[in-house]
């Protein structure tokens, strides 16, 4: 049966009324596929990114199964990698469960557990938690797991990336064997596959590819930029138009770049108090505050790394600027998915150096689109590429070509007389360790390009 309306699911009136109030008109593809399966009691492997409606896809059947407040101990557990995501899921529980009396708590670290423990002691039906905090409270004897009959792992790929496997294993040991399991992941790398074997029993796999819809909603363009300094100039030029660029996320690949870009913009470009930076080294509270300030429109520019970006659910982002091309290619879709949400059009702008062309081609393959290229603004100051930066990029291009064509000898190394023995080493290590840019002065250049090779390799 073709499902076109939420009424087609066998959800109860309380849930349907809540859905009605959210303004969702039709179930999204992941909801169409997953909801009936979960309601039928299957274990599910859902490959879906944020922005596809995956949260409601598991929450609606889960709330339907829990039905109403009962007993003292939780019957369902949702694990998510970050505090931001836990809070977001808990907000969705509150929204979709508003006409039920289902009790939920959100558990995460970064603050004392007292309030969370008090909430648990009041009796709870559904727990949303980060793995670490769940385990802490369990080991303190504050959580009783024997009533758990459903468990959800959300953003499993990110949990694996963040090293939560031991905690998850530990949690699986302490919860009842007989239960329904749902695993959601944006991507499906080997580690998640392994986890799915441990966690799921005869799962049904559902997959959605939101790329087309996300990419359709967002107008995308590329600027070809010769070097790091010109990227900075371009970014400064764009952001100085505060009217157009009124709510912007600037994505960068690393914490260091995030800090550098942030400091530069804060000092020279963005009005006082209108910019924040978000990366994994920032404390939880700082991250939450920054996110809130941005969400509320009190801050115009947010500089963020991918690690923290997935939890960002902000409407009306005018622009996403990819200061550098993500090496986890799926992150491109995550990044641009921050704009063009809720049927609004947004713009995604990506800065691409010679050494990043390889990665953008791969991304274009994934999104099945060629991203249009725009000439650089006429008034942009295009700086000369420093020697070391250009060396690092050339070397990078060489190693990319070799990856595609193992017989390719490399135009760069031969010319520069790098001893052949260095080649594999240079390929496998962070760039600063290789010759010849390990010398002085190349830091900005090698920083922006050097990480690429190690990062790319890390995920293949
Ligand atoms: P998620 O993929 O769960 O992170 O959801 C992304 C966004 O889509 C959230 O802001 C949801 O409120 C919204 N959403 C979820 N389901 C629907 C739907 N059926 N129609 C429109 N928006 C939805």
């Amino acid at each position: 049966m073709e499902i076109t309306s939420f009424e087609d699911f066998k959800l109860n009136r309380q849930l349907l009324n809540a859905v009605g109030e959210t303004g969702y008109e039709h179930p999204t593809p992941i909801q169409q596929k997953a909801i009936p399966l979960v309601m039928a009691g299957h274990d599910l492997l859902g490959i879906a990114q944020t922005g596809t409606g995956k949260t409601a896809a598991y929450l609606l059947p889960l709330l339907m199964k829990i039905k109403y407040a009962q007993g003292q101990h939780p019957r369902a557990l949702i694990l998510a990698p970050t505090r931001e995501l836990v809070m977001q899921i808990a907000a969705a529980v509150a929204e979709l469960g508003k006409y039920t009396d289902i009790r939920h708590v959100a558990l995460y670290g970064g603050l004392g557990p007292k309030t969370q423990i008090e909430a648990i002691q009041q009796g709870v039906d559904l727990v949303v938690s980060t793995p670490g905090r769940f385990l802490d409270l369990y080991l303190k004897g504050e959580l009783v797991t024997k009533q758990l009959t459903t468990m959800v792992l959300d953003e499993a790929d990110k949990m694996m990336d963040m090293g939560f496997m031991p905690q998850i294993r530990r949690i699986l040991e302490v919860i009842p064997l007989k239960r329904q399991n749902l695993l959601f992941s944006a991507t499906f790398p080997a580690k998640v596959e392994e986890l799915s074997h441990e966690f799921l029993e005869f799962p049904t796999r559902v997959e959605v590819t939101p790329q087309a819809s996300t990419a359709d909603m967002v107008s995308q363009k590329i600027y070809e930029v010769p070097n790091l300094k010109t990227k900075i100039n371009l970014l400064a030029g764009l952001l100085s138009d505060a009217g157009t660029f009124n709510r912007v996320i600037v994505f960068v690949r690393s914490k260091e770049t995030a800090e550098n870009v942030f400091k530069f913009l804060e000092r020279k470009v963005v009005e006082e108090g209108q910019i924040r930076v978000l990366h994994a080294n920032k404390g939880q509270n700082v991250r939450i505050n920054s996110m809130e300030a941005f969400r509320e429109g009190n801050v115009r520019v947010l500089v963020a790394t991918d690690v923290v970006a997935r939890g960002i659910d902000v409407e009306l982002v005018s622009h996403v600027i990819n200061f550098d091309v993500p090496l986890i290619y799926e992150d491109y879709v995550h990044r641009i998915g921050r704009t063009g949400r809720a049927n609004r059009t947004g713009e995604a702008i990506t800065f691409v150096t010679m050494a990043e062309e390889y990665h953008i081609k791969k991304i274009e393959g994934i999104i099945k689109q060629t991203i249009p290229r725009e000439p650089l603004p006429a008034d942009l100051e295009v700086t000369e590429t420093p020697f070391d930066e250009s060396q690092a990029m050339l070397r990078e291009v060489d190693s990319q070509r070799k990856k595609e064509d193992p017989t390719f000898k490399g135009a760069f190394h031969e010319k520069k007389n790098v001893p052949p023995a260095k080649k594999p080493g240079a390929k496998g290590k962070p760039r600063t360790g290789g010759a010849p840019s390990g010398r002085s002065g190349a830091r900005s250049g090698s920083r922006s390009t050097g990480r690429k090779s190690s990062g790319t390799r890390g995920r293949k």
Side-chain angles (χ1 to χ4, degrees):
M1 184 186 72
E2 176 82 1
I3 291 173
T4 52
S5 145
F6 281 97
E7 301 278 341
D8 296 335
F9 301 120
K10 296 187 186 70
L11 297 168
N12 60 31
R13 202 22 70 193
Q14 288 92 322
L15 293 173
L16 286 174
N17 287 349
V19 169
E21 284 184 23
T22 60
Y24 305 167
E25 287 178 9
H26 308 286
T28 63
I30 188 77
Q31 292 163 356
Q32 292 177 12
K33 291 182 191 171
I35 291 175
L37 289 164
V38 180
M39 287 179 72
H42 291 282
D43 272 17
L44 188 85
L45 170 62
I47 307 297
Q49 287 154 352
T50 175
T52 55
K54 56 151 172 105
T55 317
Y58 65 76
L59 277 185
L60 286 169
L62 188 58
L63 293 171
M64 181 70 194
K65 185 169 168 186
I66 299 173
K67 270 207 182 73
Y68 39 73
Q70 196 180 15
Q72 179 69 15
H73 308 303
R75 284 170 288 150
L77 168 63
I78 301 170
L79 292 178
T82 60
R83 169 174 166 165
E84 286 87 350
L85 189 62
V86 165
M87 290 170 69
Q88 217 171 289
I89 296 167
V93 172
E95 189 176 33
L96 295 172
K98 71 200 277 197
Y99 294 118
T100 72
D101 62 353
I102 293 171
R103 303 152 301 172
H104 71 279
V105 291
L107 309 177
Y108 42 77
L111 74 177
K114 190 162 168 281
T115 321
Q116 296 172 1
I117 291 172
E118 281 165 10
I120 296 166
Q121 286 170 347
Q122 311 254 313
V124 61
D125 303 292
L126 165 64
V127 171
V128 190
S129 182
T130 55
R133 181 51 66 104
F134 183 85
L135 212 47
D136 284 351
L137 293 179
Y138 171 79
L139 294 172
K140 276 194 166 67
E142 298 294 347
L143 276 164
V144 175
T145 53
K146 61 176 187 235
Q147 310 283 349
L148 285 174
T149 52
T150 315
M151 182 159 163
V152 183
L153 297 183
D154 199 355
E155 298 205 351
D157 48 354
K158 185 128 171 251
M159 291 208 257
M160 297 298 98
D161 286 349
M162 293 172 75
F164 284 139
M165 192 64 200
Q167 280 104 318
I168 291 171
R169 286 221 172 94
R170 187 80 182 81
I171 293 170
L172 293 178
E173 280 169 15
V174 302
I175 62 174
L177 280 177
K178 203 170 145 24
R179 53 171 203 262
Q180 184 181 15
N181 301 300
L182 315 175
L183 186 154
F184 283 82
S185 189
T187 56
F188 196 58
K191 272 194 213 155
V192 175
E193 190 174 352
E194 200 181 305
L195 172 69
S196 73
H197 294 311
E198 285 186 38
F199 178 60
L200 302 169
E201 245 178 72
F202 306 109
T204 311
R205 177 178 169 136
V206 295
E207 193 162 349
V208 291
T209 44
Q211 289 92 338
S213 56
T214 310
D216 286 346
M217 291 303 302
V218 179
S219 89
Q220 302 169 70
K221 68 179 173 200
I222 285 175
Y223 283 118
E224 293 170 20
V225 187
N227 52 48
L228 183 68
K229 182 73 179 65
T230 311
K231 280 189 175 183
I232 302 254
N233 294 344
L234 178 58
L235 182 63
L238 295 174
L239 291 182
S240 60
D241 177 359
T244 310
F245 288 79
N246 54 49
R247 197 180 264 197
V248 187
I249 306 180
V250 179
F251 280 110
V252 297
R253 201 178 294 147
S254 69
K255 296 190 276 272
E256 295 78 18
T257 316
E259 278 298 328
N260 291 339
V261 167
F262 167 71
K263 284 189 189 128
F264 172 82
L265 292 175
E266 190 188 35
R267 225 174 29 239
K268 300 240 166 122
V269 182
V270 179
E271 321 76 80
E272 207 178 322
Q274 287 287 305
I275 178 164
R276 299 282 175 91
V277 60
L278 210 60
H279 56 66
N281 276 12
K282 294 273 165 196
Q284 294 268 30
N285 287 334
V286 176
R287 277 155 64 179
I288 300 288
N289 288 344
S290 302
M291 197 100 90
E292 278 305 310
F294 185 69
R295 204 195 311 272
E296 283 160 18
N298 300 328
V299 160
R300 178 164 76 92
V301 180
L302 191 65
V303 180
T305 58
D306 292 298
V307 176
V308 291
R310 290 199 196 175
I312 303 177
D313 184 14
V314 180
E315 308 256 313
L316 277 175
V317 172
S318 68
H319 294 79
V320 163
I321 298 181
N322 295 312
F323 186 80
D324 43 30
V325 179
L327 297 176
I328 311 272
Y329 302 137
E330 292 78 6
D331 281 341
Y332 179 82
V333 182
H334 281 291
R335 288 179 176 192
I336 72 167
R338 304 302 101 194
T339 183
R341 285 206 149 187
N343 295 344
R344 295 184 177 99
T345 50
E347 190 166 37
I349 301 173
T350 305
F351 298 175
V352 181
T353 63
M354 166 175 82
E356 290 174 310
E357 286 290 349
Y358 174 83
H359 304 296
I360 203 77
K361 292 271 155 29
K362 298 272 181 194
I363 288 168
E364 289 180 326
I366 288 177
I367 63 172
K368 300 191 178 65
Q369 281 182 28
T370 306
I371 307 168
R373 294 179 182 235
E374 193 120 320
L376 292 172
D379 58 354
L380 175 71
E381 190 193 339
V382 179
T383 62
E384 188 86 16
T385 307
F387 177 76
D388 287 322
E389 186 178 354
S390 105
Q391 299 282 294
M393 285 195 284
L394 285 169
R395 215 174 7 255
E396 188 65 32
V397 170
D398 253 20
S399 79
Q400 292 159 356
R401 285 183 65 179
K402 276 196 203 121
K403 212 181 302 162
E404 297 296 308
D405 172 12
T407 64
F408 175 69
K409 290 276 185 286
F412 178 77
H413 290 109
E414 276 61 25
K415 270 194 219 127
K416 295 295 156 201
N417 292 326
V418 172
K422 288 251 168 170
K423 274 189 252 170
K427 218 178 143 209
K429 285 185 194 129
R431 196 52 76 192
T432 42
S437 78
R439 294 176 334 202
S440 62
R443 276 192 302 278
S444 60
S446 53
R447 188 184 297 141
S448 78
T449 51
R451 196 162 292 103
K452 251 166 259 157
S453 55
S454 50
T456 312
R457 207 163 348 275
R459 57 181 291 273
K460 287 283 148 191

